[in-house]
Amino acid sequence: MRNRASLLAAVVTTLAVSHVSAADLPGKGITVQPIQSTIAEETFQTLIVSRALEKLGYQVSKPSEVDYNVGYTSIAAGDATFTAVNWQPLHDDMYKAAGGDQKLYRQGTYVTGAAQGYLIDKKTAEKYHITNIEQLKDPKIASLFDANGDGKADMTGCTPGWGCEAVINHQNSGLRSQ
């Protein structure tokens, strides 16, 4: 992953702009409105970009927490200025729906190689030797996670509309045919 390299680049950029003279501040007199989701980990990226913008003279408002769909639409409409988070390809449909490259500009990467997956408690995994989602086809294993009595494992996934929803639905389609 390039997390550390991106963080280093962001810190170096922030330090570099701290030496800009007042006459060179491109953001002087301009207020920007950051947005982010309610996911706590995204605050860090938002703060890095906000601090760099402040060093460039911008007045940065307190970040608004919004759903990603609302965020992209708000930026495209001019009601917000930026988000420091854009998960590709998971957000591509939302990005396109808000106007895509015609209305929005995205550049750079903080995090690469992100993975998504499923999580169960270690005690259950070890006791029943659960190592992959395909094992939920076994009615005995599925019953361990069946809260509503329909004979299938119940799962909690990502927010509807997120790209991970399509991935989860695709992966689970084989499980539903049991």
Side-chain angles (χ1 to χ4, degrees):
M1 273 197 216
R2 291 190 288 185
N3 271 359
R4 292 182 184 158
S6 295
L7 175 58
L8 179 60
V11 171
V12 170
T13 300
T14 301
L15 292 174
V17 297
S18 67
H19 298 294
V20 175
S21 71
D24 296 330
L25 296 177
K28 188 172 177 73
I30 300 171
T31 300
V32 295
Q33 176 61 59
I35 55 107
Q36 66 182 51
S37 79
T38 58
I39 299 171
E41 300 90 291
E42 294 181 1
T43 301
F44 182 71
Q45 291 106 300
T46 303
L47 291 175
I48 288 173
V49 173
S50 295
R51 291 217 174 113
L53 289 170
E54 288 171 349
K55 295 287 186 181
L56 291 169
Y58 291 89
Q59 175 68 40
V60 181
S61 299
K62 180 181 176 187
S64 295
E65 290 185 350
V66 297
D67 177 75
Y68 288 117
N69 284 313
V70 173
Y72 289 114
T73 303
S74 297
I75 293 169
D79 297 328
T81 313
F82 74 90
T83 179
V85 179
N86 173 248
W87 292 103
Q88 288 181 286
L90 295 178
H91 289 184
D92 284 354
D93 288 342
M94 291 181 276
Y95 180 86
K96 289 175 189 167
D101 292 339
Q102 299 298 317
K103 294 269 187 175
L104 302 162
Y105 173 79
R106 61 181 170 185
Q107 183 64 43
T109 302
Y110 283 120
V111 179
T112 61
Q116 60 186 40
Y118 302 96
L119 179 69
I120 64 170
D121 65 283
K122 185 176 181 176
K123 182 179 175 182
T124 303
E126 289 176 348
K127 181 176 180 179
Y128 295 96
H129 308 288
I130 300 171
T131 59
N132 67 74
I133 194 169
E134 288 292 316
Q135 290 174 270
L136 293 177
K137 289 182 179 180
D138 177 346
K140 188 184 294 185
I141 299 296
S143 70
L144 299 171
F145 306 98
D146 181 11
N148 63 7
D150 68 357
K152 297 179 182 179
D154 298 308
M155 301 175 75
T156 301
C158 64
T159 304
W162 288 18
C164 48
E165 177 190 27
V167 173
I168 290 168
N169 288 339
H170 172 75
Q171 291 173 340
N172 288 336
S173 65
L175 300 175
R176 291 188 195 110
S177 62
Q178 45 180 328

Short mmCIF file of all heavy atoms in Angstrom, two decimals, residues 4-64:
data_model
loop_
_atom_site.label_atom_id
_atom_site.label_comp_id
_atom_site.label_asym_id
_atom_site.label_seq_id
_atom_site.Cartn_x
_atom_site.Cartn_y
_atom_site.Cartn_z
N ARG A 4 1.72 5.13 3.55
CA ARG A 4 2.81 5.89 4.16
C ARG A 4 3.40 6.90 3.19
O ARG A 4 3.68 8.02 3.57
CB ARG A 4 3.88 4.94 4.67
CG ARG A 4 3.39 4.12 5.84
CD ARG A 4 4.44 3.22 6.37
NE ARG A 4 3.85 2.39 7.41
CZ ARG A 4 4.34 1.26 7.80
NH1 ARG A 4 5.44 0.80 7.27
NH2 ARG A 4 3.75 0.56 8.72
N ALA A 5 3.57 6.50 1.95
CA ALA A 5 4.12 7.43 0.95
C ALA A 5 3.17 8.60 0.76
O ALA A 5 3.60 9.75 0.67
CB ALA A 5 4.37 6.72 -0.36
N SER A 6 1.86 8.33 0.71
CA SER A 6 0.88 9.40 0.54
C SER A 6 0.87 10.31 1.75
O SER A 6 0.78 11.52 1.62
CB SER A 6 -0.51 8.81 0.32
OG SER A 6 -0.54 8.12 -0.89
N LEU A 7 0.96 9.71 2.95
CA LEU A 7 0.98 10.51 4.16
C LEU A 7 2.22 11.40 4.17
O LEU A 7 2.13 12.59 4.45
CB LEU A 7 0.97 9.62 5.39
CG LEU A 7 1.12 10.33 6.74
CD1 LEU A 7 0.02 11.36 6.93
CD2 LEU A 7 1.11 9.32 7.85
N LEU A 8 3.35 10.83 3.83
CA LEU A 8 4.58 11.61 3.77
C LEU A 8 4.45 12.75 2.77
O LEU A 8 4.80 13.88 3.06
CB LEU A 8 5.76 10.71 3.41
CG LEU A 8 7.12 11.42 3.29
CD1 LEU A 8 7.49 12.09 4.62
CD2 LEU A 8 8.18 10.44 2.89
N ALA A 9 3.89 12.46 1.61
CA ALA A 9 3.71 13.50 0.59
C ALA A 9 2.80 14.60 1.11
O ALA A 9 3.06 15.79 0.89
CB ALA A 9 3.15 12.89 -0.68
N ALA A 10 1.74 14.22 1.82
CA ALA A 10 0.82 15.21 2.36
C ALA A 10 1.50 16.08 3.42
O ALA A 10 1.32 17.29 3.46
CB ALA A 10 -0.40 14.52 2.96
N VAL A 11 2.31 15.46 4.28
CA VAL A 11 3.02 16.21 5.32
C VAL A 11 4.03 17.15 4.68
O VAL A 11 4.12 18.32 5.05
CB VAL A 11 3.69 15.25 6.33
CG1 VAL A 11 4.61 16.01 7.26
CG2 VAL A 11 2.64 14.49 7.11
N VAL A 12 4.77 16.67 3.70
CA VAL A 12 5.76 17.51 3.02
C VAL A 12 5.06 18.68 2.33
O VAL A 12 5.52 19.81 2.40
CB VAL A 12 6.59 16.67 2.01
CG1 VAL A 12 7.43 17.57 1.13
CG2 VAL A 12 7.47 15.69 2.76
N THR A 13 3.93 18.39 1.69
CA THR A 13 3.18 19.46 1.03
C THR A 13 2.72 20.49 2.05
O THR A 13 2.83 21.69 1.82
CB THR A 13 1.95 18.87 0.29
OG1 THR A 13 2.41 17.94 -0.68
CG2 THR A 13 1.14 19.96 -0.39
N THR A 14 2.22 20.02 3.18
CA THR A 14 1.76 20.93 4.22
C THR A 14 2.91 21.79 4.73
O THR A 14 2.76 22.99 4.91
CB THR A 14 1.13 20.15 5.39
OG1 THR A 14 0.04 19.38 4.88
CG2 THR A 14 0.61 21.08 6.47
N LEU A 15 4.05 21.18 4.96
CA LEU A 15 5.21 21.94 5.42
C LEU A 15 5.68 22.93 4.36
O LEU A 15 6.05 24.05 4.68
CB LEU A 15 6.35 20.99 5.80
CG LEU A 15 6.09 20.12 7.04
CD1 LEU A 15 7.23 19.13 7.21
CD2 LEU A 15 5.90 20.97 8.28
N ALA A 16 5.64 22.51 3.12
CA ALA A 16 6.11 23.38 2.04
C ALA A 16 5.23 24.62 1.93
O ALA A 16 5.72 25.73 1.76
CB ALA A 16 6.13 22.63 0.71
N VAL A 17 3.90 24.44 2.04
CA VAL A 17 3.02 25.59 1.90
C VAL A 17 3.07 26.49 3.13
O VAL A 17 2.64 27.63 3.07
CB VAL A 17 1.57 25.19 1.57
CG1 VAL A 17 1.49 24.48 0.25
CG2 VAL A 17 0.94 24.39 2.66
N SER A 18 3.61 25.99 4.23
CA SER A 18 3.71 26.84 5.42
C SER A 18 4.73 27.96 5.21
O SER A 18 4.73 28.93 5.95
CB SER A 18 4.06 26.01 6.65
OG SER A 18 5.36 25.49 6.55
N HIS A 19 5.56 27.85 4.21
CA HIS A 19 6.57 28.87 3.92
C HIS A 19 6.13 29.85 2.83
O HIS A 19 6.91 30.66 2.39
CB HIS A 19 7.89 28.21 3.52
CG HIS A 19 8.46 27.36 4.61
ND1 HIS A 19 8.90 27.87 5.80
CD2 HIS A 19 8.62 26.02 4.71
CE1 HIS A 19 9.33 26.89 6.58
NE2 HIS A 19 9.16 25.74 5.94
N VAL A 20 4.87 29.76 2.40
CA VAL A 20 4.36 30.67 1.39
C VAL A 20 4.12 32.03 2.03
O VAL A 20 3.59 32.12 3.13
CB VAL A 20 3.02 30.11 0.80
CG1 VAL A 20 2.41 31.09 -0.16
CG2 VAL A 20 3.27 28.77 0.14
N SER A 21 4.49 33.09 1.36
CA SER A 21 4.30 34.42 1.92
C SER A 21 2.85 34.85 1.79
O SER A 21 2.10 34.32 0.97
CB SER A 21 5.20 35.43 1.21
OG SER A 21 4.73 35.66 -0.10
N ALA A 22 2.43 35.79 2.61
CA ALA A 22 1.04 36.26 2.61
C ALA A 22 0.61 36.75 1.23
O ALA A 22 -0.53 36.62 0.84
CB ALA A 22 0.87 37.35 3.65
N ALA A 23 1.53 37.33 0.47
CA ALA A 23 1.20 37.85 -0.86
C ALA A 23 0.92 36.71 -1.85
O ALA A 23 0.28 36.94 -2.86
CB ALA A 23 2.35 38.71 -1.38
N ASP A 24 1.41 35.51 -1.54
CA ASP A 24 1.25 34.38 -2.45
C ASP A 24 0.09 33.46 -2.07
O ASP A 24 -0.02 32.36 -2.58
CB ASP A 24 2.53 33.54 -2.47
CG ASP A 24 3.71 34.30 -3.01
OD1 ASP A 24 3.51 35.19 -3.87
OD2 ASP A 24 4.84 34.01 -2.59
N LEU A 25 -0.79 33.88 -1.17
CA LEU A 25 -1.85 33.01 -0.70
C LEU A 25 -3.02 33.00 -1.68
O LEU A 25 -3.81 33.95 -1.73
CB LEU A 25 -2.34 33.44 0.69
CG LEU A 25 -1.30 33.35 1.80
CD1 LEU A 25 -1.86 33.88 3.11
CD2 LEU A 25 -0.81 31.92 1.98
N PRO A 26 -3.15 31.93 -2.46
CA PRO A 26 -4.20 31.88 -3.48
C PRO A 26 -5.61 31.77 -2.89
O PRO A 26 -6.58 32.10 -3.56
CB PRO A 26 -3.86 30.64 -4.29
CG PRO A 26 -3.08 29.77 -3.36
CD PRO A 26 -2.33 30.72 -2.47
N GLY A 27 -5.72 31.35 -1.63
CA GLY A 27 -7.03 31.18 -1.04
C GLY A 27 -7.51 32.35 -0.20
O GLY A 27 -8.61 32.29 0.38
N LYS A 28 -6.73 33.41 -0.15
CA LYS A 28 -7.09 34.55 0.70
C LYS A 28 -8.48 35.06 0.33
O LYS A 28 -8.77 35.36 -0.81
CB LYS A 28 -6.06 35.66 0.54
CG LYS A 28 -6.25 36.80 1.51
CD LYS A 28 -5.07 37.77 1.43
CE LYS A 28 -5.25 38.95 2.30
NZ LYS A 28 -5.08 38.68 3.70
N GLY A 29 -9.36 35.07 1.34
CA GLY A 29 -10.72 35.57 1.13
C GLY A 29 -11.70 34.54 0.60
O GLY A 29 -12.86 34.85 0.35
N ILE A 30 -11.26 33.28 0.42
CA ILE A 30 -12.12 32.24 -0.12
C ILE A 30 -12.43 31.21 0.97
O ILE A 30 -11.53 30.70 1.63
CB ILE A 30 -11.45 31.53 -1.32
CG1 ILE A 30 -11.16 32.53 -2.43
CG2 ILE A 30 -12.34 30.39 -1.82
CD1 ILE A 30 -10.32 31.96 -3.56
N THR A 31 -13.71 30.93 1.15
CA THR A 31 -14.14 29.93 2.12
C THR A 31 -14.48 28.64 1.38
O THR A 31 -15.13 28.67 0.33
CB THR A 31 -15.38 30.42 2.90
OG1 THR A 31 -15.03 31.62 3.59
CG2 THR A 31 -15.86 29.37 3.90
N VAL A 32 -14.01 27.52 1.91
CA VAL A 32 -14.31 26.22 1.32
C VAL A 32 -15.07 25.36 2.32
O VAL A 32 -14.88 25.49 3.53
CB VAL A 32 -13.03 25.49 0.83
CG1 VAL A 32 -12.37 26.25 -0.30
CG2 VAL A 32 -12.04 25.27 1.96
N GLN A 33 -15.93 24.49 1.80
CA GLN A 33 -16.75 23.62 2.63
C GLN A 33 -16.40 22.16 2.36
O GLN A 33 -16.76 21.61 1.34
CB GLN A 33 -18.24 23.85 2.32
CG GLN A 33 -19.17 22.90 3.08
CD GLN A 33 -19.06 23.06 4.58
OE1 GLN A 33 -19.29 24.14 5.11
NE2 GLN A 33 -18.73 21.98 5.28
N PRO A 34 -15.67 21.51 3.28
CA PRO A 34 -15.38 20.09 3.11
C PRO A 34 -16.59 19.25 3.53
O PRO A 34 -17.38 19.66 4.37
CB PRO A 34 -14.21 19.84 4.05
CG PRO A 34 -14.25 20.93 5.06
CD PRO A 34 -14.97 22.09 4.43
N ILE A 35 -16.71 18.09 2.90
CA ILE A 35 -17.71 17.12 3.32
C ILE A 35 -17.00 15.78 3.49
O ILE A 35 -15.94 15.54 2.90
CB ILE A 35 -18.89 16.99 2.32
CG1 ILE A 35 -18.41 16.67 0.89
CG2 ILE A 35 -19.70 18.27 2.29
CD1 ILE A 35 -18.68 15.28 0.50
N GLN A 36 -17.58 14.94 4.31
CA GLN A 36 -17.05 13.60 4.51
C GLN A 36 -18.19 12.72 4.97
O GLN A 36 -19.24 13.21 5.39
CB GLN A 36 -15.93 13.59 5.55
CG GLN A 36 -16.39 13.96 6.95
CD GLN A 36 -15.25 14.00 7.94
OE1 GLN A 36 -14.25 14.64 7.72
NE2 GLN A 36 -15.43 13.33 9.07
N SER A 37 -17.98 11.42 4.91
CA SER A 37 -19.00 10.50 5.41
C SER A 37 -18.90 10.46 6.93
O SER A 37 -18.05 11.11 7.54
CB SER A 37 -18.78 9.11 4.83
OG SER A 37 -17.74 8.44 5.51
N THR A 38 -19.75 9.66 7.54
CA THR A 38 -19.72 9.52 9.00
C THR A 38 -18.67 8.51 9.46
O THR A 38 -18.55 8.24 10.65
CB THR A 38 -21.10 9.08 9.53
OG1 THR A 38 -21.45 7.85 8.90
CG2 THR A 38 -22.16 10.12 9.24
N ILE A 39 -17.89 7.96 8.54
CA ILE A 39 -16.86 6.99 8.88
C ILE A 39 -15.68 7.74 9.50
O ILE A 39 -15.05 8.58 8.86
CB ILE A 39 -16.42 6.19 7.63
CG1 ILE A 39 -17.60 5.42 7.07
CG2 ILE A 39 -15.26 5.26 7.98
CD1 ILE A 39 -17.33 4.77 5.72
N ALA A 40 -15.41 7.45 10.75
CA ALA A 40 -14.41 8.20 11.52
C ALA A 40 -13.03 8.23 10.86
O ALA A 40 -12.34 9.24 10.91
CB ALA A 40 -14.30 7.62 12.93
N GLU A 41 -12.64 7.13 10.23
CA GLU A 41 -11.31 7.07 9.63
C GLU A 41 -11.12 8.10 8.52
O GLU A 41 -10.00 8.47 8.20
CB GLU A 41 -11.04 5.69 9.02
CG GLU A 41 -11.09 4.53 9.98
CD GLU A 41 -12.47 3.91 10.09
OE1 GLU A 41 -13.37 4.57 10.63
OE2 GLU A 41 -12.66 2.78 9.64
N GLU A 42 -12.19 8.58 7.94
CA GLU A 42 -12.08 9.55 6.85
C GLU A 42 -11.80 10.96 7.34
O GLU A 42 -11.41 11.82 6.57
CB GLU A 42 -13.33 9.50 5.99
CG GLU A 42 -13.44 8.17 5.26
CD GLU A 42 -14.65 8.06 4.37
OE1 GLU A 42 -15.43 9.03 4.26
OE2 GLU A 42 -14.82 6.99 3.77
N THR A 43 -11.97 11.19 8.62
CA THR A 43 -11.69 12.51 9.18
C THR A 43 -10.21 12.87 8.99
O THR A 43 -9.89 14.02 8.70
CB THR A 43 -12.06 12.54 10.68
OG1 THR A 43 -13.44 12.22 10.80
CG2 THR A 43 -11.78 13.90 11.28
N PHE A 44 -9.33 11.89 9.11
CA PHE A 44 -7.90 12.15 8.99
C PHE A 44 -7.56 12.76 7.62
O PHE A 44 -6.88 13.79 7.55
CB PHE A 44 -7.12 10.86 9.21
CG PHE A 44 -5.63 11.04 9.15
CD1 PHE A 44 -4.97 11.70 10.17
CD2 PHE A 44 -4.90 10.55 8.08
CE1 PHE A 44 -3.59 11.87 10.13
CE2 PHE A 44 -3.52 10.72 8.04
CZ PHE A 44 -2.87 11.39 9.07
N GLN A 45 -8.06 12.16 6.54
CA GLN A 45 -7.78 12.69 5.21
C GLN A 45 -8.36 14.10 5.06
O GLN A 45 -7.74 14.99 4.49
CB GLN A 45 -8.37 11.80 4.11
CG GLN A 45 -7.69 10.47 3.97
CD GLN A 45 -8.53 9.35 4.51
OE1 GLN A 45 -8.89 9.32 5.68
NE2 GLN A 45 -8.84 8.38 3.68
N THR A 46 -9.58 14.29 5.57
CA THR A 46 -10.22 15.60 5.47
C THR A 46 -9.40 16.65 6.21
O THR A 46 -9.21 17.77 5.71
CB THR A 46 -11.65 15.53 6.04
OG1 THR A 46 -12.38 14.52 5.33
CG2 THR A 46 -12.37 16.86 5.90
N LEU A 47 -8.88 16.30 7.38
CA LEU A 47 -8.08 17.26 8.15
C LEU A 47 -6.76 17.60 7.46
O LEU A 47 -6.31 18.74 7.51
CB LEU A 47 -7.84 16.73 9.56
CG LEU A 47 -9.07 16.67 10.46
CD1 LEU A 47 -8.73 16.01 11.80
CD2 LEU A 47 -9.67 18.05 10.66
N ILE A 48 -6.14 16.61 6.84
CA ILE A 48 -4.88 16.88 6.12
C ILE A 48 -5.11 17.90 5.01
O ILE A 48 -4.39 18.89 4.90
CB ILE A 48 -4.28 15.58 5.54
CG1 ILE A 48 -3.71 14.70 6.64
CG2 ILE A 48 -3.19 15.90 4.50
CD1 ILE A 48 -3.25 13.34 6.17
N VAL A 49 -6.12 17.65 4.19
CA VAL A 49 -6.40 18.56 3.08
C VAL A 49 -6.83 19.92 3.62
O VAL A 49 -6.39 20.97 3.13
CB VAL A 49 -7.47 17.96 2.14
CG1 VAL A 49 -7.89 18.97 1.08
CG2 VAL A 49 -6.95 16.69 1.48
N SER A 50 -7.66 19.94 4.66
CA SER A 50 -8.12 21.21 5.25
C SER A 50 -6.95 22.04 5.76
O SER A 50 -6.89 23.25 5.51
CB SER A 50 -9.11 20.94 6.38
OG SER A 50 -10.29 20.35 5.89
N ARG A 51 -6.03 21.40 6.45
CA ARG A 51 -4.88 22.14 6.99
C ARG A 51 -4.00 22.69 5.87
O ARG A 51 -3.49 23.81 5.97
CB ARG A 51 -4.09 21.26 7.94
CG ARG A 51 -4.89 21.00 9.21
CD ARG A 51 -4.04 20.96 10.45
NE ARG A 51 -4.90 20.85 11.61
CZ ARG A 51 -4.96 19.79 12.40
NH1 ARG A 51 -4.18 18.76 12.18
NH2 ARG A 51 -5.76 19.78 13.43
N ALA A 52 -3.80 21.91 4.84
CA ALA A 52 -3.01 22.40 3.70
C ALA A 52 -3.69 23.60 3.05
O ALA A 52 -3.03 24.59 2.71
CB ALA A 52 -2.80 21.28 2.68
N LEU A 53 -5.02 23.53 2.90
CA LEU A 53 -5.75 24.65 2.32
C LEU A 53 -5.67 25.89 3.21
O LEU A 53 -5.54 27.02 2.71
CB LEU A 53 -7.21 24.26 2.07
CG LEU A 53 -7.42 23.28 0.92
CD1 LEU A 53 -8.87 22.77 0.91
CD2 LEU A 53 -7.07 23.90 -0.42
N GLU A 54 -5.73 25.70 4.52
CA GLU A 54 -5.59 26.82 5.45
C GLU A 54 -4.23 27.49 5.29
O GLU A 54 -4.11 28.72 5.32
CB GLU A 54 -5.80 26.37 6.89
CG GLU A 54 -7.24 26.05 7.22
CD GLU A 54 -7.43 25.38 8.57
OE1 GLU A 54 -6.43 24.96 9.20
OE2 GLU A 54 -8.59 25.27 9.00
N LYS A 55 -3.19 26.68 5.11
CA LYS A 55 -1.84 27.22 4.92
C LYS A 55 -1.75 28.03 3.63
O LYS A 55 -0.90 28.91 3.49
CB LYS A 55 -0.79 26.10 4.89
CG LYS A 55 -0.66 25.36 6.20
CD LYS A 55 0.04 26.20 7.23
CE LYS A 55 0.29 25.38 8.49
NZ LYS A 55 0.94 26.14 9.53
N LEU A 56 -2.64 27.73 2.69
CA LEU A 56 -2.69 28.47 1.42
C LEU A 56 -3.63 29.67 1.51
O LEU A 56 -3.90 30.33 0.50
CB LEU A 56 -3.12 27.55 0.28
CG LEU A 56 -2.09 26.49 -0.09
CD1 LEU A 56 -2.69 25.46 -1.05
CD2 LEU A 56 -0.85 27.14 -0.71
N GLY A 57 -4.15 29.94 2.70
CA GLY A 57 -4.96 31.12 2.90
C GLY A 57 -6.47 30.91 2.87
O GLY A 57 -7.23 31.85 3.09
N TYR A 58 -6.92 29.72 2.57
CA TYR A 58 -8.36 29.47 2.52
C TYR A 58 -8.95 29.44 3.92
O TYR A 58 -8.31 28.99 4.87
CB TYR A 58 -8.65 28.12 1.84
CG TYR A 58 -8.34 28.11 0.37
CD1 TYR A 58 -7.06 27.76 -0.08
CD2 TYR A 58 -9.31 28.43 -0.57
CE1 TYR A 58 -6.77 27.75 -1.43
CE2 TYR A 58 -9.02 28.41 -1.93
CZ TYR A 58 -7.75 28.07 -2.35
OH TYR A 58 -7.46 28.05 -3.69
N GLN A 59 -10.17 29.89 4.04
CA GLN A 59 -10.96 29.73 5.26
C GLN A 59 -11.70 28.41 5.09
O GLN A 59 -12.50 28.27 4.18
CB GLN A 59 -11.95 30.89 5.41
CG GLN A 59 -12.89 30.75 6.58
CD GLN A 59 -12.18 30.88 7.92
OE1 GLN A 59 -11.29 31.70 8.08
NE2 GLN A 59 -12.58 30.07 8.87
N VAL A 60 -11.41 27.43 5.95
CA VAL A 60 -12.01 26.11 5.83
C VAL A 60 -13.10 25.95 6.88
O VAL A 60 -12.84 26.03 8.07
CB VAL A 60 -10.96 24.99 5.97
CG1 VAL A 60 -11.60 23.62 5.82
CG2 VAL A 60 -9.83 25.16 4.95
N SER A 61 -14.32 25.74 6.41
CA SER A 61 -15.45 25.52 7.31
C SER A 61 -15.35 24.14 7.95
O SER A 61 -14.62 23.27 7.48
CB SER A 61 -16.77 25.60 6.53
OG SER A 61 -16.92 26.87 5.95
N LYS A 62 -16.13 23.95 9.01
CA LYS A 62 -16.18 22.64 9.68
C LYS A 62 -16.75 21.63 8.67
O LYS A 62 -17.74 21.91 7.99
CB LYS A 62 -17.08 22.73 10.91
CG LYS A 62 -17.19 21.44 11.67
CD LYS A 62 -18.10 21.57 12.87
CE LYS A 62 -18.24 20.20 13.52
NZ LYS A 62 -19.23 20.19 14.58
N PRO A 63 -16.14 20.45 8.58
CA PRO A 63 -16.65 19.44 7.63
C PRO A 63 -18.09 19.03 7.95
O PRO A 63 -18.46 18.88 9.12
CB PRO A 63 -15.72 18.25 7.82
CG PRO A 63 -14.48 18.81 8.44
CD PRO A 63 -14.94 19.98 9.27
N SER A 64 -18.89 18.89 6.92
CA SER A 64 -20.24 18.36 7.07
C SER A 64 -20.20 16.87 6.82
O SER A 64 -19.53 16.42 5.89
CB SER A 64 -21.19 19.01 6.05
OG SER A 64 -21.33 20.38 6.30
#
